[in-house]
Amino acid sequence: MVKKAQSPVGDLTLSEASAELAALAAEIARHDRAYHEQDAPLIPDAEYDELRQRNEAIEARFPELIRGDSPSRRVGSGPAEKFGKVRHAVPMLSLSNAFSEEDARDFVGRIRRFLDLPVDEEVAVTAEPKIDGLSMSLRYENRKLVQAATRGDGYEGENVTANIMTIHDAPKRLDGSAPQLIEIRGEIYMSHKDFAALNARQIAAGEKVFANPRNAAAGSLRQLDAAITAARPLRFFAYAWGEAPELPAKTQMGVIEAFASWGLPTNPLTRLCHSVEELLAQYRLIESERAELGYDIDGVVYKVNRLDWQQRLGFVSRSPRWGLAHKFSAEKAATVLEKIDIQVGRTGALTPVARLKPVTVGGVVVTNATLHNEDEIARKDIREGDTVIVQRAGDVIPQILGFVPEKRPRDAKPYRFPQQCPVCHSHAVREERTAGKVDAVRRCTGGLICAAQRVERLKHFASRNAFDIEGLGDRIIGEFYAGGLIAWPHDVFTLEERDKASPNRLKDREGWGEASVGKLFAAIDERRSIGLDRFIFALGIRHVGETTARALARAYGTADHFRGQMIAAGAIEGDAWGGLNAIDGIGGVVAEAVVQFFAEPHNREVVDELLKHVTVTALEARSTTSPVAGKTVVFTGALERMTREEAKAMAERLGAKVAGSVSKKTDLLVVGPGAGSKLKDAEKHGVEVIDEATWFERVGGL
């Protein structure tokens, strides 16, 4: 019997929810980096999915707390340094997850509500196996394969063209009926039979063995020597598209059938379903045949069949509204929790990590798991020495579901969470959010005097989605900090000058030489110009992730304007504060965090010193041809031709900024019947007001 311990979302207070969302955002981001960039997942799919599911449930109950760096607004992670980079013309976003049949029913229901469909209108949906592999984009020009790229962070991936050219399943040329330009998307994977043979060869050669077929496929593809990839048995399934000026059909199923006619491998289990019951029947069929397929799948993917409906449904942050991944259940096993360690992150958060006695779950050996925070340990009453039930669904590290009471050692003591930082020994506290309520995360109060926080902030600063300095990875940052070479972000850009004047030159240190030092300095020089969104993200402001950084960059345009407005907003009143809160996606928690960052003199000094060494450029507009591109638009009232969500998605697709309130910076207010205070505010500020019909005329019916 496992002791159940779960904190219901419905019981969370506002402050508890805010604190947990912060912890979830940081933890999920760490797992994304490990999975997408390093092919070394820290947790299994089951645990990862539960983290995201928990995050989405809290956001659904507390929408005002949705963070700029929320996992619901982010996909994947940055491309690896060793490959060239490819900017995706159309972002490669991921799918939202479902975990029950009720979730699948809700998916179809949401589509009906969003499109405002009649009750008797059929919603046809395709169902296909969700391949557990590596997402891939193949670009064909004049029907010839010219480029291949990984998903990366969804916006920028790794150029693996030479390696893909060695894979038989990826056609080098499409059939003559294919269009002149199309970007085919699908999954690189390895069969069970080929995986077993590869590991046998690895063992015979004294090389490392792979944990599972997904890791083997990813590791085989990410080889600098394409000959190694050629020797690995990789396969490909095509199931989607990116940039495509013309498509061969008006439905998802029609396009997939065309793929097959062009010579692309498509999954034979893909079916078109005309009702929710057909959809669930196909899910059960695929699940029942899972063990006999000969390759790993971890669920079934649903996609709305009509492409015009897909266009209307659009995207919500990191996922399309028209698609869903219905995941399979996880596998479980029991093992001993040998020790609980504490890790310190860049925000000072103390994160407990469970070290487990190695156990095989579903063919994979797992050794540790994240325990989230001290409340999680207390709720589950997890103790060192306990036999715990762990769960995984396809990768390396499990989720701890609870302990087995009858196997608890008599001398097992309740875990006492440290009250001091294990790195700098400063007090570790839980901040009070509201009367009687405290933050779920305990944080070191040492700030920048804490080596762990300083080093982690420097790592974040140089990371792929921030300044992206090639060769200045986590290990080098740690070495340079310990050696006194880098202590602050601007030190990165004065490193070469200081090195020339130093009697102990970097080139003379162990592991370095003229070539490697020159390469590092060249990489640093390449990053002396950076986009405002990356600059803001690199500052490491709490609650500010990539999506929020982009929103702030679009709103303020230049680094000087952003800095000035954030300082002015410190009054928590007036136009600057109001303008910050009016940015779509910026809630009170994020606004307060940004203002507090700039209220600290030492943070302003860091920014000012940095601006002496780098040039910050404006963010490119999403669209330059739309008549509403760059304009701030607000929708109000009961829209009749589209739902409010659809209107917002359309405006953002056309390059407009959508705000939630009207201010003097608003360019356009689109009103429907029942418009209230926003209409009065528009009249007050002299904002142009149009109705829904005029909106469609202005954007050309797009």
Side-chain angles (χ1 to χ4, degrees):
M1 177 179 177
V2 178
K3 184 174 181 178
K4 184 178 180 181
Q6 177 67 51
S7 177
V9 172
D11 291 347
L12 294 177
T13 65
L14 190 70
S15 61
E16 289 171 337
S18 176
E20 187 166 352
L21 286 175
L24 285 167
E27 184 171 5
I28 291 172
R30 184 165 68 90
H31 295 316
D32 283 342
R33 289 192 294 273
Y35 183 91
H36 293 284
E37 297 176 26
Q38 302 158 11
D39 301 322
L42 302 175
I43 58 174
D45 286 353
E47 180 173 354
Y48 181 82
D49 290 341
E50 181 162 315
L51 290 175
R52 280 195 174 276
Q53 193 177 19
R54 176 76 172 176
N55 186 82
E56 291 167 6
I58 296 174
E59 289 183 340
R61 182 167 180 250
F62 299 96
E64 71 275 20
L65 295 182
I66 296 178
R67 301 160 51 83
D69 62 346
S70 167
S72 65
R73 298 185 172 193
R74 188 179 66 241
V75 56
S77 192
E81 296 175 355
K82 61 184 180 181
F83 292 101
K85 295 172 184 176
V86 173
R87 190 75 179 175
H88 299 304
V90 176
M92 288 185 73
L93 303 182
S94 62
L95 296 168
S96 295
N97 291 329
F99 301 92
S100 67
E101 293 191 355
E102 189 58 36
D103 290 339
R105 296 180 190 279
D106 288 345
F107 167 66
V108 177
R110 287 195 302 272
I111 291 167
R112 288 190 176 280
R113 292 190 295 274
F114 189 97
L115 299 176
D116 196 20
L117 299 177
V119 176
D120 58 351
E121 179 94 30
E122 178 184 281
V123 178
V125 178
T126 61
E128 63 189 86
K130 183 178 182 298
I131 311 301
D132 191 11
L134 185 71
S135 296
M136 185 58 53
S137 173
L138 308 180
R139 184 179 179 86
Y140 290 86
E141 296 178 2
N142 298 318
R143 305 184 184 91
K144 181 180 178 182
L145 178 59
V146 297
Q147 182 177 271
T150 63
R151 185 206 306 264
D153 64 2
Y155 299 93
E156 191 174 64
E158 304 150 2
N159 189 331
V160 291
T161 307
N163 293 2
I164 287 294
M165 289 293 185
T166 70
I167 300 176
H168 180 268
D169 270 8
K172 310 309 174 287
R173 186 177 294 276
L174 299 180
D175 181 79
S177 62
Q180 293 296 309
L181 170 63
I182 191 166
E183 183 186 338
I184 303 294
R185 292 178 175 176
E187 204 84 2
I188 296 290
Y189 69 101
M190 187 177 290
S191 72
H192 293 161
K193 180 180 178 181
D194 290 337
F195 170 67
L198 172 61
N199 264 352
R201 292 196 298 272
Q202 293 291 103
I203 292 171
E207 302 288 341
K208 80 164 189 175
V209 296
F210 294 98
N212 53 53
R214 192 268 172 197
N215 283 10
S220 299
L221 189 66
R222 288 187 168 112
Q223 294 289 330
L224 292 178
D225 183 357
I228 297 177
T229 304
R232 304 279 176 83
L234 298 178
R235 302 173 183 235
F236 178 71
F237 274 133
Y239 53 65
W241 57 93
E243 185 176 9
E246 57 176 310
L247 287 171
K250 295 182 178 180
T251 63
Q252 179 78 25
M253 197 67 182
V255 175
I256 298 305
E257 289 170 345
F259 283 0
S261 72
W262 298 342
L264 289 158
T266 59
N267 197 290
L269 288 175
T270 302
R271 295 286 184 273
L272 179 62
C273 304
H274 301 277
S275 68
V276 173
E277 294 311 320
E278 281 188 35
L279 205 62
L280 294 175
Q282 183 64 11
Y283 172 87
R284 297 181 198 114
L285 173 65
I286 292 174
E287 185 176 34
S288 69
E289 297 183 356
R290 179 183 183 186
E292 308 301 323
L293 293 178
Y295 52 86
D296 281 344
I297 63 174
D298 56 3
V300 177
V301 171
Y302 305 143
K303 298 173 185 174
V304 171
N305 192 43
R306 283 180 52 169
L307 299 188
D308 59 335
W309 282 4
Q310 287 190 14
Q311 179 73 11
R312 287 179 60 191
L313 286 161
F315 295 79
V316 52
S317 189
R318 64 183 288 273
S319 308
R321 291 187 180 89
W322 44 263
L324 187 73
H326 190 171
K327 305 295 283 290
F328 294 139
S329 58
E331 299 171 271
K332 301 173 184 177
T335 189
V336 176
L337 192 163
E338 296 180 326
K339 185 174 176 56
I340 297 176
D341 287 338
I342 301 294
Q343 295 180 343
V344 183
R346 68 179 172 87
T347 63
L350 272 59
T351 302
V353 178
R355 306 302 181 189
L356 305 169
K357 182 177 181 179
V359 61
T360 298
V361 187
V364 175
V365 177
V366 294
T367 57
N368 52 30
T370 299
L371 288 168
H372 305 296
N373 55 54
E374 61 187 284
D375 286 345
E376 178 80 357
I377 297 174
R379 280 195 297 269
K380 293 181 177 179
D381 190 21
I382 300 297
R383 305 181 186 184
E384 293 179 342
D386 273 345
T387 295
V388 294
I389 302 299
V390 296
Q391 175 177 282
R392 65 170 295 278
D395 289 316
V396 180
I397 304 174
Q399 170 191 12
I400 294 180
L401 300 180
F403 72 95
V404 182
E406 56 269 27
K407 291 190 176 183
R408 168 166 282 173
R410 291 186 176 182
D411 60 350
K413 299 177 181 179
Y415 181 73
R416 295 186 62 183
F417 207 88
Q419 309 296 299
Q420 290 184 323
C421 172
V423 177
C424 71
H425 307 296
S426 297
H427 289 298
V429 301
R430 298 176 65 176
E431 300 170 0
E432 185 171 339
R433 295 301 183 185
T434 57
K437 299 294 182 180
V438 296
D439 195 333
V441 177
R442 187 173 294 276
R443 298 180 188 277
C444 167
T445 60
L448 294 179
I449 70 167
C450 177
Q453 291 184 62
R454 180 83 67 84
V455 171
E456 290 303 317
R457 290 187 187 194
L458 288 169
K459 290 176 181 177
H460 173 80
F461 174 81
S463 65
R464 293 178 182 87
N465 296 323
F467 268 77
D468 190 20
I469 301 173
E470 186 172 356
L472 199 59
D474 289 358
R475 180 178 64 82
I476 300 300
I477 287 283
E479 289 179 4
F480 283 6
Y481 179 82
L485 294 178
I486 294 177
W488 302 98
H490 63 268
D491 289 342
V492 171
F493 296 98
T494 63
L495 181 60
E496 182 175 9
E497 181 182 351
R498 288 184 287 113
D499 184 63
K500 290 177 181 178
S502 173
N504 184 18
R505 300 289 299 276
L506 182 57
K507 66 180 179 62
D508 298 323
R509 299 192 181 201
E510 184 178 354
W512 292 88
E514 290 276 7
S516 56
V517 170
K519 189 175 180 180
L520 174 62
F521 289 159
I524 291 173
D525 283 340
E526 286 180 6
R527 294 297 181 261
R528 291 184 186 273
S529 178
I530 188 173
L532 179 57
D533 58 328
R534 281 180 172 263
F535 180 83
I536 294 172
F537 177 69
L539 296 178
I541 303 171
R542 195 171 171 193
H543 304 313
V544 176
E546 296 165 69
T547 302
T548 300
R550 286 193 191 98
L552 291 168
R554 288 195 181 97
Y556 294 105
T558 69
D560 287 341
H561 185 50
F562 170 67
R563 178 188 182 281
Q565 287 296 296
M566 295 308 96
I567 294 173
I572 315 298
E573 59 184 15
D575 291 343
W577 175 252
L580 175 60
N581 281 270
I583 300 171
D584 191 53
I586 304 294
V589 172
V590 175
E592 186 176 348
V594 180
V595 167
Q596 286 180 349
F597 177 88
F598 280 92
E600 293 287 347
H602 69 267
N603 287 335
R604 295 198 299 272
E605 290 173 10
V606 167
V607 173
D608 293 342
E609 284 296 322
L610 195 52
L611 289 173
K612 293 177 182 178
H613 302 282
V614 300
T615 300
V616 182
T617 59
L619 186 67
E620 292 183 8
R622 293 184 184 179
S623 169
T624 56
T625 57
S626 162
V628 296
K631 295 186 179 296
T632 299
V633 181
V634 176
F635 293 91
T636 188
L639 302 179
E640 297 175 331
R641 291 179 58 183
M642 54 185 173
T643 63
R644 185 73 62 82
E645 283 187 331
E646 190 174 358
K648 176 181 173 181
M650 173 188 285
E652 291 178 340
R653 189 169 65 246
L654 296 173
K657 306 170 189 174
V658 180
S661 58
V662 175
S663 70
K664 64 182 182 182
K665 294 184 179 180
T666 305
D667 296 299
L668 191 64
L669 177 67
V670 182
V671 301
S677 60
K678 291 178 183 176
L679 181 58
K680 295 179 181 178
D681 290 339
E683 294 170 352
K684 171 185 173 183
H685 294 294
V687 174
E688 181 182 3
V689 179
I690 62 174
D691 59 18
E692 191 175 2
T694 306
W695 164 261
F696 277 101
E697 291 175 6
R698 183 162 300 186
V699 300
L702 296 173

